[in-house]
Amino acid sequence: MTDNATTVTFTKKPAPDWLLAFWKEIDDKTFGKGFDCFTEDATCNLGVADWHGRDTIRNNLRAFIDTGFTALHDVTEYWDGGLLKVFRGIVTMTPDDRSQGVVNPVMTHFFYMDEKDPTKVRSWFGSVGPVAF
C-alpha cells in the first residue's frame, strides 16, 4: 500500500467570472462562450455521465436541459485550491409542464484545472440531487 496523500490549501473566495459565465450559458440555454472555460479535451463525470471533450460536454448538457425544464444555478460557496476548485450551490429546476413541481437540488462540483493552462478546466466531477424521491 502506498501513501498518495496530498495536502491542498483552499481559500474561500467569490465565484470567479469563468464559473458564473459557464452556469449562465446553461441557465440562458445559449451554450456558447461560457464553455470556453474547458480545454478542448476536457472530461466530465456528472452523476452517471462520462463525457469526453468540450463539445461533447456542451452538447450533452444541452440535450439534458432540453428534456423539459429550465435551470437556474446559484453558487453559494466557492473554494480555490490552486489547480482544484470546489463549489457547492443550489439549482432551481422549473419544469416546462407547470403541473410538475419546482425542485431545488444541492450541487457539489470539483473542477481540476489544466496544469499547462490553469485558466482552463481539464476535468469536472459533479453531483446534483436528488431531483425527486
Side-chain angles (χ1 to χ4, degrees):
M1 181 176 185
T2 59
D3 182 5
N4 292 327
T6 302
T7 301
V8 176
T9 301
F10 286 90
T11 303
K12 187 175 183 180
K13 295 182 174 182
D17 290 342
W18 66 264
L19 181 63
L20 298 175
F22 167 63
W23 291 124
K24 185 169 177 25
E25 293 287 355
I26 296 169
D27 294 347
D28 292 349
K29 297 184 179 187
T30 51
F31 298 94
K33 290 190 178 284
F35 282 79
D36 290 350
C37 66
F38 293 99
T39 62
E40 283 189 40
D41 61 345
T43 60
C44 172
N45 294 97
L46 182 61
V48 298
D50 182 25
W51 300 329
H52 297 261
R54 177 175 52 215
D55 289 336
T56 300
I57 294 168
R58 178 193 335 258
N59 292 335
N60 285 324
L61 282 171
R62 178 185 290 128
F64 173 66
I65 295 295
D66 284 346
T67 60
F69 70 94
T70 299
L72 180 60
H73 294 81
D74 182 33
V75 178
T76 57
E77 191 171 8
Y78 173 81
W79 291 86
D80 189 332
L83 290 177
L84 174 58
K85 318 295 186 190
V86 178
F87 87 88
R88 74 176 180 86
I90 297 171
V91 57
T92 300
M93 300 171 77
T94 305
D96 295 342
D97 177 355
R98 299 300 175 150
S99 69
Q100 298 178 4
V102 172
V103 293
N104 299 98
V106 173
M107 344 175 255
T108 305
H109 296 274
F110 294 80
F111 290 99
Y112 289 86
M113 308 309 281
D114 187 71
E115 289 183 10
K116 294 178 185 167
D117 183 355
T119 67
K120 302 284 186 184
V121 176
R122 163 75 52 203
S123 298
W124 170 24
F125 297 89
S127 63
V128 179
V131 295
F133 286 106

